Amino acid sequence: MAIQATNFEYLDYSFNTEDKKATFNFRINFKEKESLDFTETIEFFEEFTDYSEEYLRNVLDNLHIALGLSYYKLYVPSEIVLSKAISKGQADFWNTVFLKGLGEFLFRNNLHPDKIAKFPFEEKETKTTNINQKDRSLVGIGGGKDSIVTGEIFKEHGHDFDGFIIETERSYPIAENVLEVMKVNGIKVHRKLDSKIFEEHPESYNGHIPISAIFAFIGIATCCLYDYSYFVVSNEYSSNFGNHEHEGLTINHQWSKSQEFEEMFQQYTNTFIGTGITYFSSIRPFYEIRIVEMFTKYPQYFETFSSCNNAYKVNKERSNKLWCNNCAKCVFLYTLLSAYLEPKDLEEIFQENLFDREDLLQNFKDILGLGNMKPFDCVGTFSECQTALKFAETKFKDSFIIRELADQCSIDEQVFRTCRTHTIPTPFCLTGMKTAYILGYGKEGKETEKFLQNHFPNIQIKIGDKSLDDNYLVNQINYDFAFKTPGIHKSKVTIPYTTATNLFLSKYNKQMIGITGSKGKSTTTSLIYSILKEAGKKVRILGNIGTPMLSEYDLIKPDELIITELSSYQLDDAKYSPHIAVLTNLFPEHLDFHGDKETYYEAKRKIVRYQNESDYFVSANNEWNPRSTHIDYSKSAKYESNLLGEHNERNIQAAVAVAELLNVDEKTIQKGIREFKGLPHRLELIGEFKGIKFYDDAISTTPESTIEAIKSLPNTETILLGGQDRGYDFSSLEEEIHDSNIKNIVLFPDSGDRIIQDTKKLNILKTDSMQEAVQFAYENTTHGNICLLSCASPSYSLWKNYEEKGDEFKNLVIKFNNSN
């Protein structure tokens, strides 16, 4: 009778802080056979720092599940029994890890994917923990070229990091030697499998498991214990491609190194474990051939490194040689290195010319895509192998493999280009990049150029701007990485990129007060600055008002507060949120840029998307419900001010809420508000001329903000409206105009034709001339009333921006007064 396993049971685990060991227990139960029990041990060696017990517990709960893969595969029971309940979201993750991570195992054992058990789950809330770790990295060192490239580039870029070695069953002298050459400190963790895993088990299965998934959990546990913010691995873009199809499942030997797994793992840890430690691959944007090119710049490792599996065997006799010169990985790496090294240098590494080996013909065919199947090994794509062979063709023209296969190969330029990824934290986004392309050369673009020149002098910088080249967007494909300025939509960027906002937030988000909203951003930002400055706090105002963020990147002290206005353009591709996020209000705007209201709102929402429990969200309601603590500014006290309008009362309340959060007293708040005089073009009184008060509210570029302006100035008799047509609904504005008895209306193109439908009893001038508009206002506004510039539309149909429009209005008002 066949042996039938009934279930795989996760028993308990323990963590002993004295001997620094974690032990994990498992059991396979059988129908007519005694159960098999297993215990695996993870041992740490260095003294622990102060760590979050809750975060570590969350990690160990999941590491327990991951380690079970090694034992579950023996009999692949149809049921999994957990010692702790998990949620559906967790079960979905583990179902994917077991199915795709065991894909090669299923293929080699001719098992159907349905054989893999599904994880049970309960409807439950999961408690996550936010931790604040030192800003440093733990870099996995395996002994191969990839982690060497990461380590050396991290050194060049000045990143604070230590090496990390996971030993399974025995020490890894190759990895230790690499650390010694790299001249960095290292942390080791020892993994001890249950000895019964190496015994013969009747009718059991054997095969590949997603070992990198296990290492990912061990890595973040180690980061927690030793105070690191990042666990860095070195997995390339080439690992995303599968080897074979099996029963409708794509089999990828490297699945747990793939971008799919990396994205899943980041989302899973943030959702079900906590924030504060990030797992990512530093070289994800590159094909293997680019990484090999980088590696050849470090010849000090040529006698030390190895990527041959035979040098790392766990339970079998290890080779004393660094390279066996027979396996797919040896053949693959020899091929890629041949593109960049001279034959004599390559022979010093491998001790022979593998291109002369006739017995390796099938191995070479397999890695080049000229054989039966891509090898089940950590090798790159067919196209990059063919490209490397063609590069080596002249140097090795007399070698057997070149003579046999080179004519069947071709060069693919795509393998030298960088690939998009969303998993690399911004501080590390330039790892391995040769060239940077600045998209947009306005104020922010120029500051970005200075920043790159100062911080990354070895990277070639190129400017892409419409004023310089009409094809600047097309040309981005020729560069490794882009820095996008806010006015360019993210959909137009086709290469890996970041923004100045992300660069700045990645370093200073925990010192930042960020303000956004459809209107009132600048006023609220300036009010907060005025109050905090009055309170004697160390503050800087940067961004849209103030100086560009990157211009003061290296000047900010740890005890300073940074106040920044954040537009939807800046937030659209933000990856970080400020410590204190303020939302003044929200209604549709910039729809020509964002496409629709929902996309615009989602861009705004990113101001809180990456907050955690230690952060704050200040708004009039909590419609976004972030992880952070919500503060309702509508409940804040009201203070006297020089500002007009109910909307400014709300702006003041938002500023007061921030001040109170930072323990500013009432007297100081009142003084800071009283001394704030308002900003240009925001219900700004130009003056009273010929008995008419002229107000410049050029900032109001939506119907909603113009309605607020009219309500703030009840004696408005003449109003200037219109501009670029973004399809706004003006019906509420028209109703407000009639209700307020405004009599004289100037309508600028293009939206001016749509704003007023009922023209009865209205004196209307349609013009594209501000001079005609001001003259009309002087002629038709009666003594004691108001003329208001508040256009309810963007300025771009006739002016460069709202500032230019407002300045022209002011100058003409004064000019007409002086001329009569």
Side-chain angles (χ1 to χ4, degrees):
M1 177 182 290
I3 296 174
Q4 184 178 351
T6 56
N7 61 52
F8 181 77
E9 192 173 355
Y10 285 90
L11 304 176
D12 61 348
Y13 73 82
S14 62
F15 180 57
N16 189 316
T17 56
E18 292 185 5
D19 63 10
K20 304 183 185 65
K21 290 182 180 179
T23 56
F24 302 86
N25 301 306
F26 314 90
R27 175 175 295 157
I28 302 177
N29 294 307
F30 299 90
K31 190 171 184 180
E32 296 183 4
K33 181 179 178 298
E34 286 189 10
S35 61
L36 272 174
D37 285 3
F38 302 94
T39 298
E40 181 164 331
T41 303
I42 306 294
E43 184 176 4
F44 303 90
F45 300 99
E46 307 294 330
E47 291 299 318
F48 301 143
T49 59
D50 290 334
Y51 63 87
S52 166
E53 293 183 6
E54 186 177 351
Y55 187 97
L56 182 67
R57 183 168 58 252
N58 289 345
V59 178
L60 295 181
D61 285 348
N62 287 279
L63 175 58
H64 190 195
I65 297 176
L67 293 173
L69 280 156
S70 298
Y71 310 98
Y72 170 82
K73 72 174 184 179
L74 286 173
Y75 287 95
V76 197
S78 59
E79 181 185 9
I80 289 174
V81 179
L82 297 171
S83 58
K84 292 184 178 180
I86 60 175
S87 68
K88 184 180 185 304
Q90 291 174 288
D92 290 343
F93 171 83
W94 287 111
N95 287 335
T96 302
V97 170
F98 270 57
L99 177 63
K100 294 188 175 183
L102 291 173
E104 180 185 338
F105 166 84
L106 292 170
F107 171 73
R108 289 185 179 275
N109 289 282
N110 196 28
L111 296 174
H112 195 278
D114 290 345
K115 177 78 171 173
I116 301 296
K118 295 289 191 294
F119 276 78
F121 63 87
E122 296 179 4
E123 295 298 332
K124 63 186 290 287
E125 290 187 9
T126 54
K127 187 176 181 182
T128 60
T129 303
N130 170 64
I131 57 176
N132 293 312
Q133 304 285 94
K134 284 184 179 178
D135 184 17
R136 59 179 185 167
S137 303
L138 193 62
V139 176
I141 302 294
K145 68 185 186 325
D146 300 333
S147 57
I148 290 170
V149 166
T150 292
E152 286 298 326
I153 295 175
F154 272 32
K155 285 164 63 177
E156 291 168 18
H157 288 185
H159 296 309
D160 184 3
F161 77 98
D162 292 321
F164 178 51
I165 298 173
I166 300 176
E167 302 175 335
T168 301
E169 291 296 306
R170 57 179 79 180
S171 64
Y172 287 137
I174 295 173
E176 292 173 3
N177 292 339
V178 164
L179 265 185
E180 186 175 343
V181 175
M182 197 175 288
K183 298 178 181 178
V184 297
N185 295 325
I187 289 179
K188 287 196 293 186
V189 170
H190 189 80
R191 180 180 176 226
K192 179 70 175 175
L193 294 158
D194 193 299
S195 61
K196 292 193 287 294
I197 198 73
F198 304 117
E199 297 174 1
E200 292 291 331
H201 297 282
E203 300 182 35
S204 65
Y205 301 106
N206 195 14
H208 178 74
I209 64 167
I211 190 64
S212 294
I214 293 173
F215 288 172
F217 283 104
I218 295 175
I220 62 169
T222 309
C223 285
C224 175
L225 289 167
Y226 295 108
D227 204 5
Y228 295 87
S229 290
Y230 303 101
F231 177 46
V232 186
V233 294
S234 302
N235 301 326
E236 66 290 328
Y237 185 79
S238 307
S239 65
N240 296 330
F241 300 93
N243 304 74
H244 187 64
E245 292 288 324
H246 173 63
E247 300 288 354
L249 180 68
T250 298
I251 309 301
N252 182 0
H253 172 82
Q254 303 183 80
W255 181 79
S256 59
K257 290 184 174 182
S258 70
Q259 182 161 323
E260 179 186 5
F261 173 76
E262 188 172 328
E263 289 175 353
M264 283 178 51
F265 188 84
Q266 284 190 359
Q267 183 177 4
Y268 184 85
T269 53
N270 286 335
T271 306
F272 300 110
I273 293 177
T275 60
I277 299 173
T278 302
Y279 163 92
F280 73 98
S281 170
S282 59
I283 55 174
R284 176 65 67 197
F286 305 107
Y287 282 86
E288 286 266 24
I289 195 167
R290 276 283 298 262
I291 298 164
V292 167
E293 181 187 16
M294 296 180 220
F295 172 73
T296 56
K297 296 175 182 176
Y298 309 113
Q300 65 268 34
Y301 294 96
F302 287 0
E303 296 180 356
T304 306
F305 88 109
S306 176
S307 299
C308 175
N309 289 336
N310 289 300
Y312 297 93
K313 286 183 177 178
V314 171
N315 63 318
K316 297 179 181 178
E317 189 66 30
R318 273 185 196 165
S319 169
N320 291 324
K321 298 197 305 179
L322 293 175
W323 306 93
C324 74
N325 291 356
N326 294 308
C327 68
K329 287 194 75 171
C330 286
V331 167
F332 165 71
L333 200 58
Y334 189 93
T335 301
L336 263 64
L337 285 169
S338 71
Y340 300 102
L341 296 181
E342 292 301 315
K344 63 179 181 62
D345 298 320
L346 204 53
E347 192 163 332
E348 285 183 8
I349 295 172
F350 290 88
Q351 303 301 307
E352 62 175 319
N353 181 351
L354 298 192
F355 286 151
D356 281 338
R357 293 264 304 270
E358 295 185 19
D359 61 316
L360 293 178
L361 179 61
Q362 188 58 51
N363 292 39
F364 278 103
K365 283 184 175 181
D366 288 344
I367 67 161
L368 292 166
L370 305 175
N372 300 321
M373 185 190 299
K374 181 182 177 183
F376 281 114
D377 220 325
C378 294
V379 297
T381 63
F382 298 146
S383 58
E384 60 189 318
C385 292
Q386 289 195 16
T387 298
L389 196 75
K390 294 297 286 185
F391 275 31
E393 186 174 8
T394 302
K395 292 183 288 185
F396 293 88
K397 62 180 185 298
D398 296 326
S399 295
F400 170 76
I401 295 298
I402 299 296
R403 287 187 282 108
E404 287 289 317
L405 302 178
D407 287 345
Q408 302 175 55
C409 297
S410 60
I411 292 174
D412 182 0
E413 294 294 336
Q414 178 61 41
V415 300
F416 298 107
R417 294 186 180 129
T418 52
C419 305
R420 295 284 291 270
T421 178
H422 306 289
T423 51
I424 299 178
T426 302
F428 307 93
C429 64
L430 287 173
T431 302
M433 301 297 176
K434 295 179 183 177
T435 56
Y437 194 52
I438 299 175
L439 284 168
Y441 199 53
K443 195 174 182 180
E444 184 174 298
K446 290 171 183 174
E447 286 298 333
T448 300
E449 182 183 28
K450 293 176 186 176
F451 174 86
L452 292 174
Q453 289 169 340
N454 290 334
H455 290 83
F456 300 96
N458 295 326
I459 291 179
Q460 179 187 346
I461 304 166
K462 180 72 175 179
I463 307 301
D465 191 271
K466 193 171 184 178
S467 65
L468 303 172
D469 182 2
D470 287 339
N471 295 317
Y472 76 106
L473 289 173
V474 175
N475 293 336
Q476 64 184 291
I477 196 171
N478 299 317
Y479 301 92
D480 287 343
F481 197 85
F483 287 85
K484 185 188 78 65
T485 51
I488 296 173
H489 195 274
K490 62 186 179 184
S491 63
K492 295 181 179 179
V493 188
T494 59
I495 62 176
Y497 81 97
T498 191
T499 65
T501 301
N502 276 322
L503 277 173
F504 191 85
L505 280 168
S506 69
K507 184 173 183 179
Y508 293 115
N509 63 310
K510 290 303 178 185
Q511 294 172 240
M512 184 176 285
I513 303 166
I515 299 93
T516 198
S518 298
K519 291 298 173 186
K521 299 184 294 293
S522 297
T523 298
T524 305
T525 300
S526 301
L527 274 164
I528 293 171
Y529 178 79
S530 178
I531 296 169
L532 298 185
K533 194 74 175 174
E534 187 64 38
K537 294 187 180 293
K538 296 178 182 178
V539 289
R540 292 176 189 254
I541 187 165
L542 302 176
N544 292 347
I545 53 176
T547 57
M549 287 183 271
L550 287 185
S551 67
E552 301 194 14
Y553 184 88
D554 296 312
L555 305 177
I556 296 167
K557 303 295 190 296
D559 60 346
E560 288 185 273
L561 291 170
I562 305 152
I563 307 167
T564 305
E565 174 189 326
L566 295 169
S567 70
S568 61
Y569 295 177
Q570 293 170 297
L571 291 169
D572 195 29
D573 33 28
K575 290 188 173 183
Y576 303 86
S577 297
H579 174 51
I580 300 174
V582 181
L583 176 68
T584 57
N585 49 52
L586 194 62
F587 48 80
E589 195 178 20
H590 305 304
L591 301 188
D592 60 324
F593 184 86
H594 294 287
D596 54 50
K597 180 178 73 173
E598 289 71 26
T599 306
Y600 168 67
Y601 285 1
E602 183 57 32
K604 289 291 192 183
R605 188 178 182 274
K606 288 186 178 177
I607 199 168
V608 297
R609 180 173 177 179
Y610 305 101
Q611 287 190 317
N612 56 47
E613 292 82 357
S614 66
D615 298 318
Y616 297 91
F617 175 40
V618 178
S619 71
N621 54 63
N622 195 20
E623 68 271 40
W624 288 338
N625 194 28
R627 287 184 176 181
S628 54
T629 300
H630 179 249
I631 297 173
D632 184 350
Y633 74 66
S634 67
K635 296 179 180 178
S636 297
K638 295 184 178 181
Y639 289 80
E640 293 181 6
S641 78
N642 299 311
L643 303 181
L644 298 172
E646 292 181 6
H647 63 295
N648 274 324
E649 288 183 8
R650 294 190 291 271
N651 293 336
I652 292 168
Q653 285 183 293
V656 169
V658 173
E660 291 174 341
L661 180 62
L662 296 172
N663 301 314
V664 180
D665 62 81
E666 291 183 16
K667 184 178 179 181
T668 304
I669 291 173
Q670 178 64 79
K671 188 174 181 183
I673 293 171
R674 189 183 301 116
E675 293 187 357
F676 179 71
K677 304 302 181 185
L679 299 175
H681 311 299
R682 292 157 175 83
L683 287 178
E684 178 187 4
L685 176 62
I686 301 171
E688 184 172 344
F689 307 106
K690 301 184 185 304
I692 306 166
K693 289 184 178 179
F694 288 87
Y695 281 87
D696 170 13
D697 190 46
I699 188 64
S700 285
T701 56
T702 65
E704 291 83 356
S705 55
T706 295
I707 289 170
E708 291 287 351
I710 293 170
K711 289 179 177 179
S712 304
L713 299 169
N715 291 328
T716 300
E717 188 177 29
T718 301
I719 188 167
L720 282 62
L721 298 168
Q724 185 185 53
D725 194 343
R726 289 184 175 172
Y728 293 147
D729 179 359
F730 295 109
S731 56
S732 296
L733 173 59
E734 182 177 7
E735 184 178 343
E736 184 65 33
I737 288 170
H738 287 297
D739 290 346
S740 301
N741 294 316
I742 296 174
K743 296 176 181 179
N744 309 305
I745 299 177
V746 175
L747 296 174
F748 295 120
D750 299 312
S751 63
D753 291 334
R754 293 198 306 109
I755 293 176
I756 303 296
Q757 301 300 313
D758 181 4
T759 60
K760 294 177 183 178
K761 299 181 181 180
L762 295 177
N763 182 22
I764 294 177
L765 169 68
K766 291 188 176 183
T767 182
D768 61 3
S769 166
M770 182 64 80
Q771 181 167 326
E772 290 182 7
V774 172
Q775 182 176 349
F776 174 83
Y778 268 109
E779 291 174 352
N780 292 279
T781 311
T782 58
H783 189 277
N785 286 314
I786 291 170
C787 170
L788 170 64
L789 172 74
S790 186
C791 293
S793 298
S795 310
Y796 309 120
S797 61
L798 297 174
W799 298 277
K800 183 172 67 176
N801 49 44
Y802 75 85
E803 291 99 336
E804 183 180 79
K805 175 176 63 180
D807 288 342
E808 185 179 5
F809 177 66
K810 289 180 189 178
N811 293 335
L812 286 168
V813 166
I814 295 169
K815 179 181 177 182
F816 269 89
N817 177 65
N818 294 337
S819 64
N820 294 313

